Amino acid sequence: MLIAVLFFGCESDDNCTKTIQIPQYTYSNGQSYVYYTEQEVSCDFEEAVDEPAQTGNELENFTYEVLLFEYTQDTGNNSHRLQMEIKLNNSNNYAVTGYPYFSIAIDGMVTSSAYANLASENCLGIAANSSCVFTLDIEEDSTLLGAPSAMELVAVKYYVTE
């Protein structure tokens, strides 16, 4: 589970507190949904983002090419949509089994995920000196919490599991 923390301003006194919003993610019928819980913390609360533990080693001689990365904030159906096609290149003389890991800036805050369970092509293996096109097209309901105003691909890594 990916946990990101959003911060709001607070007063500048010794009993300073601030309210943080913690996104909670659920998946149902191939769609992901997010809702937020709030928590009051001290102003000196450590500004950290928890990322899922990685398994495997990062693939060397790996490159990627963005064929499509499109975020639609308002689809006209009370939803927002993320589409991406990323060409993953294994320049090694051996095949790999693993998974791609994407870092995406959502309204300026970087979060990371494999998205493998939501992809139509997840590239859990890439042949020697070959490529695979990771394909994702997800549409999420915006009626409960709204939609992010912007999404931008920051980086892609590939982790080898075997």
Side-chain angles (χ1 to χ4, degrees):
M1 174 192 296
L2 175 65
I3 300 174
V5 180
L6 304 175
F7 295 91
F8 295 92
C10 65
E11 304 168 13
S12 58
D13 64 38
D14 293 335
N15 295 324
C16 180
T17 62
K18 60 185 171 184
T19 301
I20 60 172
Q21 288 191 342
I22 305 169
Q24 305 292 317
Y25 298 91
T26 61
Y27 295 92
S28 176
N29 296 326
Q31 286 194 338
S32 66
Y33 298 92
V34 62
Y35 63 94
Y36 293 85
T37 58
E38 290 186 350
Q39 184 173 354
E40 190 170 313
V41 297
S42 168
C43 282
D44 61 357
F45 179 78
E46 185 74 27
E47 297 185 24
V49 174
D50 291 338
E51 293 186 12
Q54 296 303 316
T55 56
N57 296 317
E58 190 174 339
L59 178 62
E60 294 183 17
N61 301 317
F62 168 77
T63 60
Y64 65 94
E65 178 184 345
V66 179
L67 304 176
L68 170 72
F69 188 91
E70 185 174 320
Y71 171 67
T72 306
Q73 182 181 9
D74 182 2
T75 65
N77 298 320
N78 292 323
S79 64
H80 52 280
R81 183 178 184 188
L82 175 62
Q83 299 170 278
M84 63 176 158
E85 293 178 6
I86 311 294
K87 184 177 181 182
L88 309 176
N89 304 303
N90 174 16
S91 299
N92 295 294
N93 291 326
Y94 53 87
V96 294
T97 300
Y99 59 94
Y101 198 67
F102 301 88
S103 294
I104 296 177
I106 302 173
D107 288 338
M109 184 173 66
V110 178
T111 62
S112 299
S113 178
Y115 294 104
N117 59 333
L118 301 173
S120 58
E121 175 56 61
N122 54 25
C123 298
L124 297 181
I126 307 175
N129 297 306
S130 189
S131 307
C132 178
V133 177
F134 180 91
T135 306
L136 177 75
D137 186 350
I138 54 175
E139 191 167 337
E140 298 177 320
D141 188 341
S142 299
T143 56
L144 295 175
L145 300 168
S149 60
M151 288 191 185
E152 177 183 336
L153 183 65
V154 175
V156 181
K157 296 179 180 180
Y158 196 91
Y159 289 93
V160 178
T161 56
E162 290 183 11

mmCIF file of all heavy atoms in Angstrom, residues 38-71:
data_model
loop_
_atom_site.group_PDB
_atom_site.id
_atom_site.type_symbol
_atom_site.label_atom_id
_atom_site.label_comp_id
_atom_site.label_asym_id
_atom_site.label_seq_id
_atom_site.Cartn_x
_atom_site.Cartn_y
_atom_site.Cartn_z
ATOM 1 N N GLU A 38 -7.914 12.150 8.265
ATOM 2 C CA GLU A 38 -7.177 13.290 8.809
ATOM 3 C C GLU A 38 -6.607 12.939 10.174
ATOM 4 O O GLU A 38 -7.190 12.137 10.906
ATOM 5 C CB GLU A 38 -8.085 14.511 8.938
ATOM 6 C CG GLU A 38 -8.469 15.107 7.619
ATOM 7 C CD GLU A 38 -9.241 16.409 7.764
ATOM 8 O OE1 GLU A 38 -9.641 16.754 8.897
ATOM 9 O OE2 GLU A 38 -9.425 17.077 6.744
ATOM 10 N N GLN A 39 -5.460 13.558 10.485
ATOM 11 C CA GLN A 39 -4.845 13.349 11.783
ATOM 12 C C GLN A 39 -4.157 14.643 12.197
ATOM 13 O O GLN A 39 -3.509 15.306 11.392
ATOM 14 C CB GLN A 39 -3.826 12.207 11.701
ATOM 15 C CG GLN A 39 -3.213 11.868 13.032
ATOM 16 C CD GLN A 39 -2.329 10.626 12.936
ATOM 17 O OE1 GLN A 39 -2.265 9.963 11.922
ATOM 18 N NE2 GLN A 39 -1.652 10.331 14.013
ATOM 19 N N GLU A 40 -4.294 15.007 13.459
ATOM 20 C CA GLU A 40 -3.625 16.193 13.986
ATOM 21 C C GLU A 40 -2.282 15.775 14.562
ATOM 22 O O GLU A 40 -2.194 14.810 15.334
ATOM 23 C CB GLU A 40 -4.477 16.851 15.071
ATOM 24 C CG GLU A 40 -3.954 18.203 15.474
ATOM 25 C CD GLU A 40 -4.925 18.948 16.369
ATOM 26 O OE1 GLU A 40 -6.119 18.998 16.044
ATOM 27 O OE2 GLU A 40 -4.446 19.473 17.385
ATOM 28 N N VAL A 41 -1.227 16.481 14.155
ATOM 29 C CA VAL A 41 0.126 16.147 14.590
ATOM 30 C C VAL A 41 0.859 17.424 14.986
ATOM 31 O O VAL A 41 0.442 18.530 14.646
ATOM 32 C CB VAL A 41 0.918 15.416 13.478
ATOM 33 C CG1 VAL A 41 0.288 14.082 13.128
ATOM 34 C CG2 VAL A 41 1.054 16.293 12.249
ATOM 35 N N SER A 42 1.960 17.288 15.668
ATOM 36 C CA SER A 42 2.811 18.405 16.038
ATOM 37 C C SER A 42 3.414 19.023 14.777
ATOM 38 O O SER A 42 3.661 18.320 13.787
ATOM 39 C CB SER A 42 3.925 17.897 16.953
ATOM 40 O OG SER A 42 4.908 18.886 17.117
ATOM 41 N N CYS A 43 3.679 20.320 14.802
ATOM 42 C CA CYS A 43 4.257 20.986 13.635
ATOM 43 C C CYS A 43 5.638 20.448 13.268
ATOM 44 O O CYS A 43 6.079 20.580 12.129
ATOM 45 C CB CYS A 43 4.346 22.495 13.855
ATOM 46 S SG CYS A 43 2.767 23.313 13.648
ATOM 47 N N ASP A 44 6.332 19.838 14.223
ATOM 48 C CA ASP A 44 7.642 19.283 13.898
ATOM 49 C C ASP A 44 7.547 17.825 13.447
ATOM 50 O O ASP A 44 8.557 17.132 13.346
ATOM 51 C CB ASP A 44 8.616 19.432 15.063
ATOM 52 C CG ASP A 44 8.158 18.706 16.322
ATOM 53 O OD1 ASP A 44 7.051 18.131 16.331
ATOM 54 O OD2 ASP A 44 8.913 18.732 17.306
ATOM 55 N N PHE A 45 6.330 17.380 13.135
ATOM 56 C CA PHE A 45 6.117 16.025 12.616
ATOM 57 C C PHE A 45 6.996 15.803 11.391
ATOM 58 O O PHE A 45 7.069 16.642 10.500
ATOM 59 C CB PHE A 45 4.642 15.845 12.253
ATOM 60 C CG PHE A 45 4.307 14.497 11.696
ATOM 61 C CD1 PHE A 45 4.167 13.401 12.516
ATOM 62 C CD2 PHE A 45 4.119 14.330 10.324
ATOM 63 C CE1 PHE A 45 3.839 12.164 12.008
ATOM 64 C CE2 PHE A 45 3.795 13.087 9.807
ATOM 65 C CZ PHE A 45 3.656 12.001 10.649
ATOM 66 N N GLU A 46 7.701 14.694 11.354
ATOM 67 C CA GLU A 46 8.620 14.362 10.258
ATOM 68 C C GLU A 46 7.857 14.256 8.940
ATOM 69 O O GLU A 46 6.912 13.495 8.820
ATOM 70 C CB GLU A 46 9.321 13.035 10.551
ATOM 71 C CG GLU A 46 10.376 12.645 9.554
ATOM 72 C CD GLU A 46 11.638 13.477 9.692
ATOM 73 O OE1 GLU A 46 11.914 13.967 10.800
ATOM 74 O OE2 GLU A 46 12.340 13.636 8.692
ATOM 75 N N GLU A 47 8.260 15.050 7.967
ATOM 76 C CA GLU A 47 7.616 15.032 6.657
ATOM 77 C C GLU A 47 8.181 13.886 5.841
ATOM 78 O O GLU A 47 9.167 14.030 5.144
ATOM 79 C CB GLU A 47 7.829 16.359 5.946
ATOM 80 C CG GLU A 47 7.203 17.521 6.674
ATOM 81 C CD GLU A 47 7.312 18.818 5.907
ATOM 82 O OE1 GLU A 47 7.446 18.774 4.674
ATOM 83 O OE2 GLU A 47 7.268 19.861 6.544
ATOM 84 N N ALA A 48 7.524 12.754 5.929
ATOM 85 C CA ALA A 48 8.027 11.556 5.248
ATOM 86 C C ALA A 48 6.938 10.946 4.394
ATOM 87 O O ALA A 48 5.757 11.104 4.654
ATOM 88 C CB ALA A 48 8.516 10.537 6.268
ATOM 89 N N VAL A 49 7.348 10.219 3.386
ATOM 90 C CA VAL A 49 6.437 9.469 2.543
ATOM 91 C C VAL A 49 6.866 8.010 2.629
ATOM 92 O O VAL A 49 8.017 7.678 2.358
ATOM 93 C CB VAL A 49 6.496 9.956 1.080
ATOM 94 C CG1 VAL A 49 5.647 9.080 0.194
ATOM 95 C CG2 VAL A 49 6.052 11.399 0.990
ATOM 96 N N ASP A 50 5.941 7.153 3.033
ATOM 97 C CA ASP A 50 6.237 5.725 3.083
ATOM 98 C C ASP A 50 6.030 5.136 1.703
ATOM 99 O O ASP A 50 5.020 5.380 1.064
ATOM 100 C CB ASP A 50 5.304 5.002 4.058
ATOM 101 C CG ASP A 50 5.572 5.380 5.493
ATOM 102 O OD1 ASP A 50 6.697 5.845 5.777
ATOM 103 O OD2 ASP A 50 4.666 5.219 6.321
ATOM 104 N N GLU A 51 6.991 4.376 1.252
ATOM 105 C CA GLU A 51 6.862 3.680 -0.013
ATOM 106 C C GLU A 51 6.921 2.188 0.254
ATOM 107 O O GLU A 51 7.532 1.756 1.227
ATOM 108 C CB GLU A 51 7.992 4.072 -0.970
ATOM 109 C CG GLU A 51 7.912 5.520 -1.409
ATOM 110 C CD GLU A 51 8.935 5.852 -2.468
ATOM 111 O OE1 GLU A 51 9.559 4.922 -3.022
ATOM 112 O OE2 GLU A 51 9.107 7.032 -2.748
ATOM 113 N N PRO A 52 6.285 1.422 -0.592
ATOM 114 C CA PRO A 52 6.310 -0.012 -0.369
ATOM 115 C C PRO A 52 7.736 -0.548 -0.439
ATOM 116 O O PRO A 52 8.567 -0.026 -1.174
ATOM 117 C CB PRO A 52 5.476 -0.584 -1.515
ATOM 118 C CG PRO A 52 5.142 0.549 -2.402
ATOM 119 C CD PRO A 52 5.583 1.816 -1.777
ATOM 120 N N ALA A 53 8.009 -1.565 0.336
ATOM 121 C CA ALA A 53 9.333 -2.177 0.315
ATOM 122 C C ALA A 53 9.581 -2.799 -1.049
ATOM 123 O O ALA A 53 8.695 -3.407 -1.636
ATOM 124 C CB ALA A 53 9.428 -3.237 1.401
ATOM 125 N N GLN A 54 10.774 -2.611 -1.550
ATOM 126 C CA GLN A 54 11.129 -3.175 -2.845
ATOM 127 C C GLN A 54 11.681 -4.582 -2.661
ATOM 128 O O GLN A 54 12.388 -4.853 -1.700
ATOM 129 C CB GLN A 54 12.194 -2.308 -3.517
ATOM 130 C CG GLN A 54 11.712 -0.925 -3.842
ATOM 131 C CD GLN A 54 10.497 -0.952 -4.728
ATOM 132 O OE1 GLN A 54 10.425 -1.699 -5.690
ATOM 133 N NE2 GLN A 54 9.512 -0.166 -4.390
ATOM 134 N N THR A 55 11.337 -5.448 -3.557
ATOM 135 C CA THR A 55 11.949 -6.762 -3.582
ATOM 136 C C THR A 55 12.707 -6.866 -4.896
ATOM 137 O O THR A 55 12.260 -6.357 -5.918
ATOM 138 C CB THR A 55 10.896 -7.886 -3.495
ATOM 139 O OG1 THR A 55 9.956 -7.721 -4.556
ATOM 140 C CG2 THR A 55 10.165 -7.839 -2.173
ATOM 141 N N GLY A 56 13.842 -7.491 -4.854
ATOM 142 C CA GLY A 56 14.653 -7.621 -6.053
ATOM 143 C C GLY A 56 15.652 -6.490 -6.177
ATOM 144 O O GLY A 56 15.675 -5.556 -5.389
ATOM 145 N N ASN A 57 16.485 -6.591 -7.187
ATOM 146 C CA ASN A 57 17.510 -5.603 -7.455
ATOM 147 C C ASN A 57 17.125 -4.777 -8.671
ATOM 148 O O ASN A 57 16.499 -5.284 -9.594
ATOM 149 C CB ASN A 57 18.858 -6.292 -7.722
ATOM 150 C CG ASN A 57 19.352 -7.048 -6.513
ATOM 151 O OD1 ASN A 57 19.282 -6.553 -5.402
ATOM 152 N ND2 ASN A 57 19.833 -8.267 -6.729
ATOM 153 N N GLU A 58 17.546 -3.529 -8.678
ATOM 154 C CA GLU A 58 17.264 -2.671 -9.818
ATOM 155 C C GLU A 58 18.051 -3.173 -11.037
ATOM 156 O O GLU A 58 19.246 -3.476 -10.942
ATOM 157 C CB GLU A 58 17.653 -1.233 -9.494
ATOM 158 C CG GLU A 58 17.188 -0.245 -10.526
ATOM 159 C CD GLU A 58 17.447 1.193 -10.122
ATOM 160 O OE1 GLU A 58 17.615 1.474 -8.910
ATOM 161 O OE2 GLU A 58 17.474 2.050 -11.027
ATOM 162 N N LEU A 59 17.371 -3.282 -12.167
ATOM 163 C CA LEU A 59 17.987 -3.784 -13.399
ATOM 164 C C LEU A 59 18.975 -2.768 -13.953
ATOM 165 O O LEU A 59 18.641 -1.595 -14.136
ATOM 166 C CB LEU A 59 16.899 -4.079 -14.441
ATOM 167 C CG LEU A 59 17.364 -4.569 -15.809
ATOM 168 C CD1 LEU A 59 18.096 -5.913 -15.684
ATOM 169 C CD2 LEU A 59 16.174 -4.692 -16.757
ATOM 170 N N GLU A 60 20.189 -3.234 -14.215
ATOM 171 C CA GLU A 60 21.195 -2.402 -14.870
ATOM 172 C C GLU A 60 20.967 -2.453 -16.371
ATOM 173 O O GLU A 60 20.316 -3.368 -16.883
ATOM 174 C CB GLU A 60 22.596 -2.906 -14.531
ATOM 175 C CG GLU A 60 22.941 -2.739 -13.060
ATOM 176 C CD GLU A 60 24.361 -3.172 -12.745
ATOM 177 O OE1 GLU A 60 25.185 -3.291 -13.670
ATOM 178 O OE2 GLU A 60 24.638 -3.376 -11.554
ATOM 179 N N ASN A 61 21.483 -1.471 -17.089
ATOM 180 C CA ASN A 61 21.325 -1.376 -18.546
ATOM 181 C C ASN A 61 19.857 -1.328 -18.945
ATOM 182 O O ASN A 61 19.457 -1.888 -19.957
ATOM 183 C CB ASN A 61 22.038 -2.535 -19.261
ATOM 184 C CG ASN A 61 23.509 -2.567 -18.953
ATOM 185 O OD1 ASN A 61 24.169 -1.531 -18.944
ATOM 186 N ND2 ASN A 61 24.036 -3.746 -18.656
ATOM 187 N N PHE A 62 19.064 -0.663 -18.126
ATOM 188 C CA PHE A 62 17.635 -0.500 -18.375
ATOM 189 C C PHE A 62 17.363 0.935 -18.807
ATOM 190 O O PHE A 62 17.888 1.883 -18.229
ATOM 191 C CB PHE A 62 16.841 -0.807 -17.098
ATOM 192 C CG PHE A 62 15.392 -0.387 -17.170
ATOM 193 C CD1 PHE A 62 14.481 -1.150 -17.874
ATOM 194 C CD2 PHE A 62 14.956 0.773 -16.556
ATOM 195 C CE1 PHE A 62 13.141 -0.768 -17.963
ATOM 196 C CE2 PHE A 62 13.626 1.163 -16.628
ATOM 197 C CZ PHE A 62 12.719 0.390 -17.338
ATOM 198 N N THR A 63 16.567 1.090 -19.847
ATOM 199 C CA THR A 63 16.111 2.406 -20.282
ATOM 200 C C THR A 63 14.620 2.322 -20.566
ATOM 201 O O THR A 63 14.059 1.218 -20.668
ATOM 202 C CB THR A 63 16.845 2.892 -21.554
ATOM 203 O OG1 THR A 63 16.608 1.963 -22.610
ATOM 204 C CG2 THR A 63 18.342 3.048 -21.304
ATOM 205 N N TYR A 64 14.001 3.473 -20.696
ATOM 206 C CA TYR A 64 12.587 3.487 -21.044
ATOM 207 C C TYR A 64 12.300 4.660 -21.976
ATOM 208 O O TYR A 64 13.064 5.629 -22.036
ATOM 209 C CB TYR A 64 11.701 3.571 -19.802
ATOM 210 C CG TYR A 64 11.823 4.844 -19.008
ATOM 211 C CD1 TYR A 64 10.950 5.914 -19.232
ATOM 212 C CD2 TYR A 64 12.790 4.997 -18.031
ATOM 213 C CE1 TYR A 64 11.056 7.084 -18.507
ATOM 214 C CE2 TYR A 64 12.899 6.159 -17.297
ATOM 215 C CZ TYR A 64 12.026 7.202 -17.537
ATOM 216 O OH TYR A 64 12.139 8.356 -16.807
ATOM 217 N N GLU A 65 11.215 4.527 -22.712
ATOM 218 C CA GLU A 65 10.787 5.559 -23.647
ATOM 219 C C GLU A 65 9.294 5.784 -23.434
ATOM 220 O O GLU A 65 8.509 4.834 -23.451
ATOM 221 C CB GLU A 65 11.061 5.100 -25.076
ATOM 222 C CG GLU A 65 10.630 6.062 -26.138
ATOM 223 C CD GLU A 65 10.851 5.506 -27.545
ATOM 224 O OE1 GLU A 65 11.579 4.511 -27.702
ATOM 225 O OE2 GLU A 65 10.268 6.082 -28.474
ATOM 226 N N VAL A 66 8.911 7.032 -23.247
ATOM 227 C CA VAL A 66 7.504 7.366 -23.042
ATOM 228 C C VAL A 66 6.828 7.465 -24.409
ATOM 229 O O VAL A 66 7.132 8.364 -25.199
ATOM 230 C CB VAL A 66 7.345 8.689 -22.271
ATOM 231 C CG1 VAL A 66 5.870 9.033 -22.097
ATOM 232 C CG2 VAL A 66 8.051 8.618 -20.931
ATOM 233 N N LEU A 67 5.950 6.521 -24.696
ATOM 234 C CA LEU A 67 5.182 6.558 -25.931
ATOM 235 C C LEU A 67 3.904 7.370 -25.733
ATOM 236 O O LEU A 67 3.464 8.088 -26.631
ATOM 237 C CB LEU A 67 4.840 5.135 -26.387
ATOM 238 C CG LEU A 67 6.026 4.185 -26.567
ATOM 239 C CD1 LEU A 67 5.544 2.780 -26.916
ATOM 240 C CD2 LEU A 67 6.986 4.710 -27.625
ATOM 241 N N LEU A 68 3.304 7.220 -24.554
ATOM 242 C CA LEU A 68 2.088 7.958 -24.215
ATOM 243 C C LEU A 68 2.019 8.124 -22.706
ATOM 244 O O LEU A 68 2.213 7.156 -21.964
ATOM 245 C CB LEU A 68 0.845 7.184 -24.692
ATOM 246 C CG LEU A 68 -0.513 7.711 -24.216
ATOM 247 C CD1 LEU A 68 -0.866 9.028 -24.920
ATOM 248 C CD2 LEU A 68 -1.602 6.685 -24.464
ATOM 249 N N PHE A 69 1.780 9.327 -22.258
ATOM 250 C CA PHE A 69 1.467 9.597 -20.859
ATOM 251 C C PHE A 69 0.454 10.726 -20.891
ATOM 252 O O PHE A 69 0.778 11.875 -21.188
ATOM 253 C CB PHE A 69 2.694 9.998 -20.044
ATOM 254 C CG PHE A 69 2.385 10.085 -18.563
ATOM 255 C CD1 PHE A 69 2.546 8.981 -17.751
ATOM 256 C CD2 PHE A 69 1.887 11.253 -18.008
ATOM 257 C CE1 PHE A 69 2.233 9.037 -16.394
ATOM 258 C CE2 PHE A 69 1.571 11.323 -16.661
ATOM 259 C CZ PHE A 69 1.747 10.213 -15.849
ATOM 260 N N GLU A 70 -0.796 10.382 -20.610
ATOM 261 C CA GLU A 70 -1.865 11.358 -20.708
ATOM 262 C C GLU A 70 -2.774 11.272 -19.490
ATOM 263 O O GLU A 70 -3.304 10.209 -19.175
ATOM 264 C CB GLU A 70 -2.680 11.131 -21.979
ATOM 265 C CG GLU A 70 -3.735 12.180 -22.212
ATOM 266 C CD GLU A 70 -4.433 12.002 -23.558
ATOM 267 O OE1 GLU A 70 -3.745 11.682 -24.547
ATOM 268 O OE2 GLU A 70 -5.654 12.172 -23.597
ATOM 269 N N TYR A 71 -2.929 12.404 -18.831
ATOM 270 C CA TYR A 71 -3.836 12.488 -17.693
ATOM 271 C C TYR A 71 -4.979 13.415 -18.069
ATOM 272 O O TYR A 71 -4.760 14.538 -18.529
ATOM 273 C CB TYR A 71 -3.118 13.027 -16.447
ATOM 274 C CG TYR A 71 -4.081 13.320 -15.323
ATOM 275 C CD1 TYR A 71 -4.759 12.286 -14.699
ATOM 276 C CD2 TYR A 71 -4.333 14.616 -14.904
ATOM 277 C CE1 TYR A 71 -5.668 12.541 -13.681
ATOM 278 C CE2 TYR A 71 -5.226 14.870 -13.889
ATOM 279 C CZ TYR A 71 -5.896 13.838 -13.281
ATOM 280 O OH TYR A 71 -6.801 14.092 -12.281
#
